[in-house]
Amino acid sequence: MLRLSLRNLAGNRLRFILTTFAILVGVSFVVASFVLTDGLIRTFDELVEDANADVDVEVRARSEFDEIDFTLRPIDEALIDVVAEVEGVEEIWPTASSTKILPVKANGEPIKTSLAPAFSGNWVDSSISPLTIVEGEAPDEPSEFVIDETTADREGFVVGEVYDVIGSDGSEPFTLVGISRFGEENALGGAVLSSFTLDELQRLDGSEGLITVIDVAAPDVERDVLVDRLTAVLPDDVEAVDISVVVEEAQSDISDIIGIFGNILLAFALVAVFVSTFIISNTFNILLGQRVRQLALLRALGASAAQVRFSAIFEALVVGVVASVVGLGGGVALALGLRGLMNTLGFDMPSMDIILAPRTIVVAAVVGIGVTLFASLSPARRAATVPPVAAMRAGFRFGSGEGTRRTIIAIILSVPGVAAMGYGLFASSDSTALKLAGLGAGAVLIFVAVSMFAPLFSSPSASFLGAPLEHVPG
Amino acid sequence: MDQLTKPQVDDAESLRPSDGTMAATATGLTKTYGKGDTQVVALDHVDIGFEAARLTAIMGPSGSGKSTLMHCMAGLDAVTEGDVRVGDTRISELSDKELTLLRRQRLGFIFQAFNLVPTLTAEENILLPLLLGGREPDPEWKTQVINSLKLDDRLHHRPDELSGGQQQRVAVARALVTRPDIIFADEPTGNLDSKSGHEVLGFLRRAVDDWHQTVVMVTHDPSAASYADLVIFLRDGHVVGRLEEPTSDLVYDRIKSLEA
């Protein structure tokens, strides 16, 4: 029987490939979402770690809530001197950032920032900064600035030229003295990044005397000792934090953001998997319908119902295994393709490691094999019900059977389906996530319900549309 | 389950010529389809026996119940009423599993069309009933069957690479390879030209004469029926006649009189 299953697959290569493809798409989406998020998270993790490799402690405003880093309240720049006085401190890097500053292109139009915000920072000439100068030099004078490589290329900024920069007090001219690169590839996710001297940044931002954080290096002092010493001299609303904590926080923030993106992909993947379940189930049903006489022949010759059922399931198993293995590769390719697509669209993404986590492989196998087997159960059960006499009689058809039960289940499913979808579409308040979940769950339920109703009215149309297919060797 | 396994007897004994024992019998066999007003009686209290080591043909106009009779006798279709035995086994009492084993081990089948699994080679098709039970063929018997059916150079071909006659010969070989108690043949020559048809009928005849197999054949072709030892005529679900030592002409005349 195993041999027969394999022969049936081999004898129907096109159908086999198409069935496999349906599952493969779902598996690939799932794998791609994992590979992409795993790869991006690791890349950004490494970026954050590298950027803070020389820092021991960060001084920042104490937050009452678990806020994300870039919404930190500013602190008084007078603290720079206080921190510098602390015993053991060797080097300090005060940093300030702003989202109120926007360079203007040579043609007088501000840079478009539809994809991601425009960030500005003070130039920190040190290894702790992920920024490096790739052309020209760092800003040294108040009227100088640098801009990131991608923006310069895209918007036509040329080193040595003078450009207007819009700040909180209107625009004024600045000389572009250099081009910066973030990390190794300037992968800013589409953001515009300009750098100024600290004083000019504060002035343009309208926040004179304020900075965001002070990074501190004190290689000869234990970090907790340094934290204690700093805490002793800092005001209550300012804290000194071990840099490893800051790195972890940043990494966790990044994971959250990438995770949201990954979940959207995963949602697509689940829809694909869901749809393919139906495609597979239908395909198997069609295949078995075409093979009724063969099944009946086998039953007449002494194949047990269990053997027939198992041969159908085994066929599905082979399809599932192939789809999982190929889907794993397809998922990696899709992840790379998605990254390329995002780069083309302007969301610059860093190149990343291909990480095939064990979790990814397990999920691919569960989805690919599990879904296929699940989808084959009902057709396999039907296959085993083919009576042996059907071998001698042409025109045997599977009974639609269970019609009433199907209808009842379909109605039971469609009611909460419509309700959930209505909630997702029309509910006025509540969280977006809840509404999206309602929309998704509603769509799934309605899809199942409709597909259960379908056989009731699809039979005549299917026999009409399917008529030409009867001549396809199956 | 024991009752299903073929009784262990010497080859010499199992190959004995007909001595009047019955390979299969039916008493009061009734088969109806549908219920109430739409009820159709396909077989109406039929009493019949198929003698071992003989070739029996069942004839009758369409709707006479000849195919239903064969399906019921072969355990392919459930009977409504009555007693059907293959050898000593009352098959009307068997479960689906037991019937499956009975068909696999003790019966052989030759159908009119779609006899072979298209994706398996001729040899695999021949051995299919054995493969289904995980049994090994008796190599000598297998060779003998294949050679006498002149299939030795066709074993690795797929059914679609074989002529209609060759395909039917593969089906005959498959029916013979398990040395069943009875071979049921449903219009075995219905789809063949007359030359191939006579070839296949010749093989069935030889299976009875040389190997003392029992063959029951449904046919509507008088010249096919002439290969039989006995022709049983059916009409409207009743046995309406028997003809020993048939010839084509005698069968033809009898059919004419039945239809009149």
Side-chain angles (χ1 to χ4, degrees):
Chain A
M1 284 308 265
L2 292 187
R3 189 164 13 167
L4 186 59
S5 297
L6 293 175
R7 290 290 175 75
N8 279 333
L9 289 170
N12 258 319
R13 245 174 239 113
L14 182 66
R15 188 100 7 83
F16 171 57
I17 289 168
L18 290 177
T19 318
T20 309
F21 186 75
I23 310 153
L24 194 143
V25 170
V27 174
S28 292
F29 261 108
V30 171
V31 170
S33 60
F34 283 133
V35 168
L36 200 58
T37 48
D38 288 352
L40 288 177
I41 286 172
R42 179 179 294 182
T43 302
F44 280 111
D45 280 356
E46 286 171 356
L47 209 59
V48 174
E49 274 165 25
D50 290 350
N52 292 290
D54 295 333
V55 179
D56 291 309
V57 171
E58 184 167 284
V59 174
R60 65 184 187 189
R62 190 184 299 278
S63 57
E64 288 168 46
F65 310 102
D66 191 14
E67 286 172 285
I68 292 180
D69 225 2
F70 48 73
T71 61
L72 275 177
R73 274 178 299 113
I75 55 177
D76 189 344
E77 69 178 352
L79 290 174
I80 296 173
D81 293 335
V82 175
V83 170
E85 295 290 303
V86 170
E87 187 190 347
V89 170
E90 271 191 16
E91 207 171 346
I92 57 172
W93 300 281
T95 56
S97 60
S98 170
T99 54
K100 297 176 186 166
I101 301 169
L102 190 62
V104 178
K105 290 190 280 188
N107 63 8
E109 290 173 18
I111 297 172
K112 278 198 292 288
T113 58
S114 54
L115 296 176
F119 283 113
S120 299
N122 61 310
W123 183 262
V124 178
D125 208 3
S126 157
S127 63
I128 71 149
S129 168
L131 292 176
T132 49
I133 293 290
V134 292
E135 189 190 337
E137 55 191 30
D140 197 29
E141 299 291 321
S143 64
E144 294 176 352
F145 80 114
V146 301
I147 198 161
D148 74 274
E149 197 176 17
T150 313
T151 308
D153 287 348
R154 190 178 65 224
E155 309 290 351
F157 282 84
V158 179
V159 172
E161 297 290 315
V162 175
Y163 297 91
D164 281 344
V165 173
I166 303 172
S168 56
D169 273 343
S171 73
E172 48 190 294
F174 279 79
T175 308
L176 183 71
V177 293
I179 304 290
S180 66
R181 180 181 289 171
F182 179 79
E184 285 173 13
E185 297 165 275
N186 199 48
L188 290 163
V192 173
L193 184 62
S194 52
S195 305
F196 301 82
T197 63
L198 180 57
D199 289 343
E200 280 302 293
L201 184 89
Q202 289 169 328
R203 194 176 61 77
L204 285 168
D205 187 58
S207 58
E208 286 91 340
L210 295 174
I211 54 176
T212 316
V213 295
I214 306 169
D215 285 330
V216 181
D220 300 331
V221 186
E222 291 289 323
R223 279 188 188 168
D224 45 356
V225 174
L226 182 65
V227 166
D228 288 346
R229 284 179 191 168
L230 285 166
T231 307
V233 298
L234 291 171
D236 284 347
D237 60 347
V238 176
E239 62 179 355
V241 186
D242 188 326
I243 196 67
S244 60
V245 174
V246 176
V247 166
E248 273 170 32
E249 286 172 1
Q251 288 175 342
S252 139
D253 289 344
I254 290 167
S255 299
D256 287 351
I257 292 167
I258 296 174
I260 292 170
F261 171 69
N263 284 343
I264 293 172
L265 274 180
L266 212 51
F268 273 115
L270 291 180
V271 171
V273 166
F274 188 73
V275 171
S276 61
T277 312
F278 284 88
I279 295 175
I280 301 156
S281 189
N282 273 332
T283 311
F284 283 148
N285 271 328
I286 292 167
L287 277 181
L288 291 169
Q290 290 177 338
R291 239 188 261 153
V292 162
R293 301 200 75 185
Q294 178 177 326
L295 296 171
L297 175 67
L298 289 169
R299 292 286 280 127
L301 294 179
S304 65
Q307 279 175 316
V308 167
R309 200 181 310 122
F310 180 73
S311 81
I313 290 175
F314 180 76
E315 236 171 273
L317 182 70
V318 173
V319 170
V321 168
V322 171
S324 299
V325 172
V326 180
L328 214 49
V332 171
L334 188 61
L336 293 174
L338 278 174
R339 198 187 71 86
L341 179 71
M342 291 172 71
N343 280 350
T344 316
L345 293 175
F347 298 95
D348 290 330
M349 287 287 152
S351 63
M352 57 183 192
D353 298 334
I354 298 299
I355 303 168
L356 263 185
R359 176 261 273 121
T360 311
I361 295 168
V362 169
V363 173
V366 168
V367 168
I369 298 170
V371 163
T372 321
L373 282 184
F374 175 72
S376 74
L377 286 183
S378 149
R381 215 183 52 223
R382 283 153 57 104
T385 64
V386 174
V389 257
M392 303 193 198
R393 290 189 198 135
F396 169 82
R397 280 179 192 282
F398 285 107
S400 59
E402 304 165 7
T404 327
R405 212 180 61 180
R406 279 181 90 100
T407 311
I408 291 169
I409 294 175
I411 291 169
I412 289 173
L413 286 178
S414 61
V415 169
V418 169
M421 207 163 199
Y423 171 78
L425 285 174
F426 303 118
S428 52
S429 59
D430 301 320
S431 76
T432 316
L434 258 177
K435 287 168 78 172
L436 282 177
L439 210 58
V444 166
L445 287 171
I446 289 171
F447 189 77
V448 176
V450 167
S451 71
M452 292 187 81
F453 274 128
L456 299 179
F457 49 79
S458 69
S459 220
S461 57
S463 57
F464 172 70
L465 294 171
L469 273 176
E470 309 230 312
H471 304 290
V472 176
Chain B
M1 209 61 68
D2 279 341
Q3 59 184 354
L4 291 180
T5 48
K6 200 173 166 179
Q8 290 297 310
V9 286
D10 295 345
D11 274 3
E13 199 189 339
S14 73
L15 295 181
R16 68 184 187 262
S18 173
D19 56 5
T21 53
M22 290 294 167
T25 56
T27 34
L29 171 54
T30 300
K31 175 74 182 176
T32 59
Y33 295 102
K35 278 178 184 168
D37 292 344
T38 58
Q39 194 180 55
V40 177
V41 180
L43 296 172
D44 190 4
H45 297 91
V46 171
D47 299 320
I48 201 169
F50 299 126
E51 214 175 311
R54 296 191 84 184
L55 175 51
T56 309
I58 305 173
M59 296 201 78
S62 41
S64 62
K66 58 184 193 298
S67 286
T68 307
L69 174 65
M70 180 167 141
H71 296 164
C72 289
M73 299 291 290
L76 292 171
D77 212 348
V79 303
T80 310
E81 210 188 309
D83 186 27
V84 177
R85 289 169 190 258
V86 170
D88 293 331
T89 311
R90 292 184 65 170
I91 68 166
S92 35
E93 288 176 350
L94 296 183
S95 69
D96 183 63
K97 264 186 187 167
E98 292 166 326
L99 277 175
T100 299
L101 279 179
L102 174 95
R103 289 197 297 267
R104 188 193 290 169
Q105 294 172 347
R106 294 176 57 188
L107 304 179
F109 291 97
I110 302 163
F111 303 123
Q112 177 176 4
F114 204 84
N115 240 314
L116 307 178
V117 178
T119 48
L120 297 179
T121 64
E123 184 175 23
E124 287 163 339
N125 266 292
I126 291 170
L127 300 179
L128 194 52
L130 295 169
L131 295 173
L132 287 171
R135 285 181 295 166
E136 286 296 315
D138 170 354
E140 258 177 61
W141 176 243
K142 177 186 148 191
T143 312
Q144 202 179 343
V145 167
I146 287 168
N147 286 344
S148 64
L149 284 161
K150 297 181 204 148
L151 287 168
D152 38 320
D153 59 342
R154 289 282 178 274
L155 289 180
H156 302 294
H157 292 255
R158 296 280 173 86
D160 59 4
E161 297 164 337
L162 300 174
S163 71
Q166 287 166 341
Q167 291 184 30
Q168 254 355 35
R169 269 147 55 195
V170 170
V172 173
R174 182 191 60 207
L176 282 169
V177 79
T178 57
R179 279 194 263 209
D181 293 356
I182 310 180
I183 294 172
F184 288 101
D186 189 8
E187 301 272 9
T189 59
N191 278 9
L192 299 182
D193 60 69
S194 72
K195 182 172 170 286
S196 310
H198 286 291
E199 220 172 34
V200 166
L201 290 164
F203 285 120
L204 290 176
R205 184 69 248 173
R206 279 181 52 200
V208 174
D209 292 339
D210 298 352
W211 298 324
H212 311 299
Q213 289 288 330
T214 307
V215 178
V216 176
M217 170 174 75
V218 167
T219 184
H220 64 269
D221 175 8
S223 75
S226 70
Y227 281 80
D229 299 302
L230 168 71
V231 183
I232 295 172
F233 295 93
L234 249 65
R235 196 175 71 175
D236 300 333
H238 296 277
V239 175
V240 292
R242 296 163 57 92
L243 182 63
E244 304 258 359
E245 307 292 327
T247 64
S248 298
D249 292 339
L250 286 173
V251 172
Y252 186 80
D253 292 343
R254 184 70 74 92
I255 289 177
K256 275 289 157 203
S257 69
L258 277 178
E259 284 172 354

